[in-house]
């Protein structure tokens, strides 16, 4: 069922819209700047020449998930639930 | 198809909620990864640290947040209470009223000619005919442009009306 819903989400363009919405909200609320600052520290640690995508992913993703503000989460969930309500009955 | 619909409608809310959370989780992860790639590219292309300058310059140009100053630290209502002397009538005028006063005083600007014309017209009723002539000239000079526009507009609307009536006939 999850696969079907995901497929519908993508096909109807809703997934892309949600992605854009999330990105905009995260930039607006300063999350992106926060994370960039954290990236700077990681890079200074690992060295500018040697940092890899993996390094960043490992350092950034957990912190990134934790730092998403509740209001942003709520808004996204609201839209997702609305989509599910419309398209799974 | 029907079976699927039935099973979907009998899903309890908690499953839907879990699904929603999953989707949110995917989206957030996507955003994080996107950021990682963006940063990594910036690092490797050499533009990641471009907006950092040394501490001292950062402090020099920091945004000023004091009352009575703008963000650059300049005083912005310095000219509020100053007075200027008009070169034409030698009166002392407040700075913020100076420009409009000069307009009227020198007889330039949009409204000053209209006011002057009005005064002339009302003055005409009281003056002799000779002075009327002179003033009339001035009046005509200014009205020339207006008059031309009015005439042009009038002619144009006449043309349209005549065209319309000819078409109908």
């Amino acid at each position: 069922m999850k696969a079907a819903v995901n497929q519908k989400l993508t096909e109807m363009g809703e997934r892309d819209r949600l992605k854009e919405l999330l990105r905009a909200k995260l930039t607006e609320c300063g999350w992106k700047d926060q994370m960039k600052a954290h990236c700077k520290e990681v890079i200074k640690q690992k060295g500018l020449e040697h940092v890899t995508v993996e390094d960043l992913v490992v350092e950034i993703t957990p912190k990134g998930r934790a730092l998403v503000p509740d209001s942003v989460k709520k808004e996204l969930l609201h839209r997702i639930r609305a989509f599910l309500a419309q398209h799974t009955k | 198809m029907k079976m699927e619909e039935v099973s979907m409608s009998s899903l309890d809310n908690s499953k839907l909620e879990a699904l929603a959370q999953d989707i949110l989780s995917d989206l957030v992860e996507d955003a994080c990864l996107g950021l990682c790639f963006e940063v990594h590219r910036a690092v490797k292309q050499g533009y990641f640290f471009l907006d950092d300058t040394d501490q001292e310059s950062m402090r020099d140009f920091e945004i000023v947040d004091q009352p009575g100053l703008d963000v650059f630290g300049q005083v912005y209502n310095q000219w509020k209470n100053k007075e200027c002397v008009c070169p034409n009538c030698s009166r002392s005028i407040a700075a913020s009223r100076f420009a409009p006063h000069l307009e009227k005083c020198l007889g330039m600007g949009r409204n000053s000619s209209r006011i002057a014309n009005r005064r002339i017209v009302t003055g005409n009723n009281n003056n002799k005919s000779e002075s009327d002539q002179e003033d009339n000239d001035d009046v005509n000079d200014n009205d020339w442009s207006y008059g031309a526009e009015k005439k042009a507009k009038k002619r144009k609307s006449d043309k349209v009306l005549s065209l319309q009536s000819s078409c109908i006939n």
Side-chain angles (χ1 to χ4, degrees):
Chain A
M1 209 273 283
K2 187 184 174 186
V5 171
N6 273 327
Q7 189 184 19
K8 210 165 193 185
L9 208 57
T10 311
E11 274 173 7
M12 300 190 63
E14 186 66 11
R15 178 170 232 116
D16 286 334
R17 279 191 287 271
L18 288 169
K19 265 200 221 177
E20 271 314 303
L21 180 65
L22 180 61
R23 241 156 247 213
K25 292 278 158 190
L26 288 175
T27 310
E28 231 176 68
C29 71
W31 176 91
K32 192 171 178 185
D33 293 326
Q34 252 184 318
M35 298 311 299
K36 262 192 164 177
H38 187 60
C39 287
K40 281 186 188 171
E41 286 168 29
V42 172
I43 293 165
K44 282 179 184 157
Q45 243 183 26
K46 304 271 175 172
L48 198 67
E49 301 295 317
H50 303 109
V51 67
T52 64
V53 182
E54 282 305 319
D55 288 334
L56 288 172
V57 169
V58 159
E59 296 288 333
I60 296 308
T61 311
K63 192 162 186 187
R65 285 169 169 282
L67 284 178
V68 177
D70 281 337
S71 56
V72 174
K73 279 194 211 169
K74 272 193 186 151
E75 192 169 339
L76 264 291
L77 277 175
H78 187 77
R79 268 187 75 149
I80 296 171
R81 283 187 206 122
F83 180 84
L84 289 176
Q86 261 188 344
H87 296 105
T88 57
K89 287 278 155 77
Chain B
M1 268 301 237
K2 268 193 180 174
M3 287 233 1
E4 257 181 42
E5 279 174 29
V6 166
S7 65
M8 275 192 183
S9 62
S10 67
L11 276 176
D12 38 329
N13 275 339
S14 62
K15 282 198 181 163
L16 269 183
E17 185 60 27
L19 187 55
Q21 292 285 352
D22 263 348
I23 294 174
L24 178 66
S25 186
D26 280 344
L27 288 169
V28 169
E29 174 135 0
D30 213 57
C32 290
L33 277 178
L35 181 68
C36 287
F37 287 133
E38 207 181 296
V39 168
H40 182 259
R41 183 169 203 272
V43 167
K44 294 304 173 185
Q45 296 278 321
Y47 60 83
F48 187 62
F49 285 111
L50 221 54
D51 51 352
D52 283 347
T53 43
D54 57 310
Q55 275 294 86
E56 211 177 282
S57 338
M58 300 262 281
R59 260 183 285 137
D60 277 344
F61 298 117
E62 228 179 300
I63 290 180
V64 176
D65 189 16
Q66 291 168 29
L69 298 180
D70 62 16
V71 288
F72 299 114
Q74 296 166 348
V75 189
Y76 61 82
N77 53 6
Q78 226 176 7
W79 316 113
K80 239 195 212 173
N81 306 320
K82 298 239 166 127
E83 286 193 347
C84 323
V85 177
C86 173
N88 209 31
C89 59
S90 306
R91 283 202 298 178
S92 188
I93 312 286
S96 47
R97 299 301 311 159
F98 191 52
H101 164 81
L102 259 189
E103 264 191 330
K104 305 272 183 333
C105 196
L106 292 172
M108 303 167 71
R110 292 171 64 201
N111 288 325
S112 58
S113 59
R114 284 186 216 146
I115 294 172
N117 288 340
R118 258 198 289 129
R119 286 207 203 115
I120 287 164
V121 169
T122 50
N124 265 346
N125 300 335
N126 302 331
N127 284 349
K128 300 178 195 168
S129 54
E130 278 181 30
S131 44
D132 276 358
Q133 277 290 19
E134 266 179 50
D135 295 331
N136 271 338
D137 280 342
D138 285 330
V139 171
N140 287 337
D141 276 337
N142 282 331
D143 282 342
W144 199 84
S145 49
Y146 295 134
E149 276 176 39
K150 283 186 192 158
K151 282 185 196 163
K153 277 188 185 169
K154 208 185 168 209
R155 261 186 259 132
K156 200 182 171 190
S157 54
D158 278 345
K159 273 189 187 170
V160 172
L161 281 172
S162 57
L163 259 177
Q164 281 179 339
S165 51
S166 61
C167 284
I168 293 167
N169 296 334

